[in-house]
Structures are given as C-alpha cells and as structure tokens.
Amino acid sequence: MTPPLVADVILRILHYLQPDPDSPLLDTTQFRATYKCIFINKRWCEVASAFLWSRPFAFSPKQNKKLLCQYFSMFTIKERIILLQNGVPLPSVFNKPPLFDYPSFVRHLFYPAMVSTVKEWLAEKVAPNMYNLKSEIGQPKNPMKVPLIVRALLKLFIKHGSHIESVHIYSTRYFVSPEEYLLLKEPYFVNWIFPIKKLLVDADLPNFEVFLAMASLFRNLTFLRVQNINRDPIRIGDFIRSQNGLVTLEIYSFSDDFDDINISPIMWALESQRDTLRRLCFKDVSFDFCEPWIGLPSCQSLQELLIINCEYITKGMSEPLFDSIFPELKNLRVECTKRSNHCTEFLQWAKRFSPENHKYINWI
C-alpha cells in the first residue's frame, strides 16, 4: 500500500496552483482546483482547508461572502448581541458548527477586500432605506456597522491565535475610507500587525496617502512589492528608507502618465537597504526623466537583479553601474523594450557582467 503524503508535500503541491508564489491570490479556477482536494481523504482535507482559509477574502465576492458568514458563526453570544444591538443583521440560527478552527488558519490579510466584502454583505442584508452603499459621496449613509464588523473579525483572528505573515493592500470594488484603514492602527491590533515581514501594496489606491500615514506599522518588512507607483514616488522612497532590513524589493507598473513624475526617489532610496537587499526587480517600469542610478551600485549584497519589460533606460542613468562590482550577484536578467534602443551600453554591460545569461539580456 502506498504510504500517505505528509502535510508538507501536500502543501507544496497546493502552492503549484498559484501562478505567483509571492501572492496568495487565487482566481476561480485555482480556487475550485484547490477546493476539490478537500475531498481526497482526511489528510488532504486538513491541509487544503488550512491552505484556503489562510487567505480569506482573496477569492471572488461570492466566495468571500460565504467565508464571512462562516466567521459570523464563530462569534460568541456576547459578540453577537453587541452586533445585533448595533443593527448588524446577523443570522439568528447557524445550521452546524464549523469543522475546523478557521480563524486560526489566517496567514494573509487582504484588508481592503475584507472591508469591501463586509460592505457588499451589508448592502444585501440591510434594507435600502437603512443602508445605501452608493450614496452621493460613495460611502454608506449609515457607515458605523462596517467598522463594528471589521473590528469583530480582526479580534476573532487574534483571539484564535492566527499569525499574520503578509498584508495585501490593493484597490477593490468598493471604496475603503481613511477611517477604515486607520482601524489597523488601533492599539488592540498594532501588536498583531507589527511583526509582519511581507507587504504587497497597490499605490494607485484612492487613499494611498492614508496608507503611507500608517507606515509606522510596517517597519520590519523583508519583502515589499509596490504596484502602480506613479502616485507618489517620493513618499514611496521614504517608505523604503523606513524599513529596517528589506531582502526583496519589487517595483511593478510604473508609467510616465503624469508630467514630471519619475522613479528617481525610489532609486535613491535603495542605498538605505544596501546591507540587506538580495533581490531587486523592476517590471513594466518607465524610467523616463529618471536621474542616474546612484543608489543601486551601493547594494553589493544583491544576488538577483531583474529589469523586465522596462523602457526609456539611458546611458546617463545606468552609467553608475558600469564600474560596479556585485560579488554575490547570481542572476541578472535584463529585457528592455525598444524604447530603450539608444542605450546599447547598458545591455553590453549586462552581457559582460553575466555572459552565461545572454538569452535573458535582450530587447523585447
């Protein structure tokens, strides 16, 4: 008889369903494939359930609302009474007790998606004259129920011993107000959030300035991915400087849609992480208007440098690299668009520096 797979092996198999290993997001197809694993046997059920429930609110709105109702069933009687007294329409009867301690599985917090799910659930459950999600200013007419439910959920996660590994901040279907973001700064939640090491953030959020004001919560990151950084590169550079020791930094989707906006402040901020930075990735980035990359040569501990589908790289901005030595660099990949075709010196440097990776150093 074939011995059963150990939990670690099953977990590795489940991770293969993710197109991006650094992002716990699962689309509908991936969710269904993972969900089917629950029915293989008891061991697979335990591991797959923990895998799915480690990333609540990372799925479709319909699936997210089902998760929300399951969490409601795990509130204590006292917690339910408080919510009911404040007009939250919780179900009066829950069909069956939960199979697992689902809140303890939470590892990845999709905060705006959680707030958005609460708003959508309320919009369906509460009478329109009591709660209108699309009021004139884009906010609920009676918004007090939203923070009540969000606080209750966060407290539920903490009470059941969940340990957060990553926080994901990105735009969702419904607007998240500054007050709703700032809930994470309340004393009860700070110690739970503060130890996280991984943050993925979309800088094109309507309230990205509020997120930057919360930067004191995120000082111990080892992994940072920032998308759509044309909103405020200066403050993003300041946020990078505030970190105690980044190991991986990924900059995605920077465009020059706004006049006089460039990535220079972020390039300058790299020097602040020179002792710890091991992996640096630029993807779909426009370097138009960027000044010389004076911060990058100081990162002598780099092991991986990726510049993928980027444009407007000039000799002047990349020249600080030409005399640089990266003694630990093992993977160099440069794929620039033809808009950088006036910078053959940069590609020649990359090919000299990493002759074994010629196939990854080219125009696309």
Side-chain angles (χ1 to χ4, degrees), residues 17 24 40 72 78 80 90 112 147 165-166 206 223 234 246-247 270 323 349 353-354 360 363-364:
L17 296 174
I40 295 176
F72 288 161
K78 181 179 179 181
R80 292 180 197 173
L90 291 177
E165 297 174 1
S166 68
F223 180 103
I234 294 176
L246 277 177
V247 176
L270 296 177
D323 297 323
W349 165 82
F353 197 93
S354 184
Y360 297 121
W363 305 117
I364 55 176

Side-chain angles (χ1 to χ4, degrees), residues 144-155:
M144 297 308 296
K145 299 181 183 67
V146 176
L148 277 173
I149 298 174
V150 172
R151 282 193 188 96
L153 290 170
L154 294 175
K155 289 180 178 180

Side-chain angles (χ1 to χ4, degrees), residues 181-231:
Y181 274 114
L182 293 174
L183 287 177
L184 292 176
K185 291 200 72 172
E186 293 183 0
Y188 191 89
F189 308 126
V190 167
N191 291 335
W192 183 61
I193 292 290
F194 191 75
I196 72 148
K197 299 295 184 182
K198 181 180 288 190
L199 176 67
L200 293 86
V201 59
D202 187 334
D204 202 27
L205 292 168
N207 281 299
F208 184 62
E209 293 78 7
V210 176
F211 164 76
L212 289 173
M214 295 165 49
S216 59
L217 282 176
F218 307 105
R219 290 293 175 86
N220 298 307
L221 299 177
T222 58
F223 180 103
L224 174 62
R225 176 185 294 174
V226 183
Q227 298 182 169
N228 299 314
I229 57 176
N230 50 352
R231 290 279 299 206

Side-chain angles (χ1 to χ4, degrees), residues 225-257:
R225 176 185 294 174
V226 183
Q227 298 182 169
N228 299 314
I229 57 176
N230 50 352
R231 290 279 299 206
D232 200 340
I234 294 176
R235 297 181 69 180
I236 295 173
D238 292 339
F239 181 72
I240 292 171
R241 289 189 184 89
S242 72
Q243 299 308 308
N244 294 322
L246 277 177
V247 176
T248 296
L249 175 62
E250 297 181 352
I251 305 296
Y252 284 12
S253 304
F254 176 90
S255 68
D256 56 350
D257 294 338

